[in-house]
């Protein structure tokens, strides 16, 4: 089929999409309407942690669809109980609330923190509701999570913002300390800023932040929508720095491609009362059955070690590329990595890589001077070699 035969006009334009319709996905590969194949280093934006349409997700979906799709979150269902148990067993948290998107999980975390701040007023009896977040952070696209995000320009697009999110500078403890007031209830951050350009919070910063928040009676909230579920080579990003946060959110990888997210907290902060939080699809068995299948896969012996190994391999290959092309190095954790180009050629590389023939390469440029790599966590070294060789061809063709 020709692209022009698709009637795309009925779709609201929210981004400039290339004239491609993807029809199939398998592992690291996508196929478009014309049958052209693409090596996919986006994976739905770090979502398909086991690649496109892995067998374990097909099976979980098919089996659960036959049994029970949604009895309502007002009742218990077996897959959500199983997945909550898996998450609690493998993390430092005690309680889980399921949501359908990362933004919704973050809204849940913000609500829980504000509720906690009402129950634990400051010395003058005033509610504490401010959550310190960070410049260049990304927490989602609802009004509150856009307000929490530190993306340039986002304070203006849908003004007025939801108040209560002063912005500090990542890896600068003094900038956080300066913002603490008698209204502060917590600090929220991504262990590695993803959309901001793959910028890790340092081990030292995470540990100092944990000490600071303890000292002031503040909640430490980690947004692990992008870093969670094995992406960094640890099951959760906070484990990189050996701290125990109070609240964590998950999204993306936990669903392996289906809409599933979660907010986890320690028992002492589980302060929602009936009616405070909910949602029609939250914790539905169809999605949580997939989440359980994903968790069972990524917690298999050796899985995280292999993410660390392939992450180190990808890092080394990106460094070699850096030397050959006079770029400025690479950074990241595990299989969330970025190549620092040193000039604003990211978008043209993304386009040229996609349009290569006979097979294309899908990459992301979160900032014009950066390429981001977020392959499936079970990507092979051969698939990394193939990507590096295709990227080299593109760079040569573009004269870089
Ligand atoms: C993608 C992302 C979100 C938003 O998740 P959605 O499922 O798109 O709502 C929030 N936080 C981080 C760190 C993300 O990467």
């Amino acid at each position: 089929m020709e692209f022009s035969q698709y009637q795309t006009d009925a779709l609201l334009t929210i981004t400039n999409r290339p004239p491609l319709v993807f029809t199939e996905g398998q592992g690291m590969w996508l196929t478009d309407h014309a049958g052209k194949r693409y090596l996919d280093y986006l994976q739905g934006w770090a979502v398909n942690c086991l690649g496109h349409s892995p067998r374990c997700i097909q099976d979980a979906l098919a089996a659960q669809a036959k049994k029970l799709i949604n009895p309502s979150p007002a009742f218990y269902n077996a897959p959500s109980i199983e997945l909550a148990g898996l998450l609690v067993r493998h993390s430092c948290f005690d309680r889980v609330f399921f949501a359908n998107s990362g933004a919704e999980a973050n809204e849940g975390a913000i609500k829980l923190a504000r509720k906690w701040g009402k129950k634990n007023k400051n010395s003058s009896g005033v509610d504490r509701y401010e959550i310190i977040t960070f410049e260049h952070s990304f927490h989602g696209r609802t009004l509150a999570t856009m307000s929490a995000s530190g993306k340039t320009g986002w304070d203006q697009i849908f003004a007025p913002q939801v108040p209560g999110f002063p912005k500090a500078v990542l890896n600068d403890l003094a900038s956080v300390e300066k913002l603490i007031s008698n209204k502060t209830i917590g600090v929220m951050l991504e262990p590695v800023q993803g959309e901001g350009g793959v910028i890790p919070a340092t081990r030292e910063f995470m540990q100092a932040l944990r000490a600071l928040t303890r000292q002031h009676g503040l909640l430490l909230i980690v947004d692990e929508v992008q870093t969670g579920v094995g992406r960094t080579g640890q099951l959760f990003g906070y484990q990189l720095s050996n701290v125990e946060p109070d609240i964590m959110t998950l999204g993306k990888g936990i669903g392996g491609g289906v809409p599933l997210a979660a907010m986890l907290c320690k028992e002492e902060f589980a302060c929602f009362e009936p009616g405070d939080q909910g949602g029609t699809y939250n914790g539905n068995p169809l999605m949580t059955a997939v989440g359980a299948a994903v968790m069972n896969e990524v917690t298999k012996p050796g899985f995280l070690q292999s993410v660390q190994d392939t992450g180190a391999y990808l890092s080394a290959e990106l460094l070699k590329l850096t030397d050959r092309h006079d770029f400025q190095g690479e950074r990241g954790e595990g299989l969330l990595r970025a190549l620092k180009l040193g000039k604003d050629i990211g978008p043209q590389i993304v386009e040229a890589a996609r349009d290569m023939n006979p097979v294309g390469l899908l990459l992301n440029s979160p900032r014009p001077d950066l390429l981001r790599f977020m392959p499936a966590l079970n990507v092979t070294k051969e698939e990394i070699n193939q990507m590096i060789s295709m990227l080299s061809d593109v760079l040569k063709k573009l004269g870089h």
Side-chain angles (χ1 to χ4, degrees), residues 45 100-104 106 138-141 190 192 194-195 223-227 249 251-252 261 372:
W45 260 252
N100 310 294
S101 69
E104 191 189 5
N106 284 336
F138 180 82
H139 299 295
R141 295 175 180 280
E190 303 155 81
V192 181
E195 303 306 304
D223 174 348
E224 298 233 17
V225 171
Q226 190 156 150
T227 52
T249 55
K252 299 199 167 100
R372 176 169 48 169

Side-chain angles (χ1 to χ4, degrees), residues 106 134 137-139 170-171 188-194 198-203 205-206 209 220-228 232 234-241 243 245 247-250 332-333 336:
N106 284 336
F134 291 84
S137 64
F138 180 82
H139 299 295
L170 190 70
N171 294 328
M188 177 161 82
L189 81 165
E190 303 155 81
V192 181
Q193 287 191 340
V198 192
I199 305 169
T202 65
R203 284 13 173 204
F205 180 70
M206 286 297 281
L209 197 57
L220 179 61
I221 307 167
V222 284
D223 174 348
E224 298 233 17
V225 171
Q226 190 156 150
T227 52
T232 65
Q234 300 291 325
L235 192 53
F236 304 111
Y238 71 80
Q239 294 167 327
L240 289 167
S241 45
V243 298
I247 299 177
M248 170 172 80
T249 55
L250 298 174
E333 300 280 3
L336 179 59

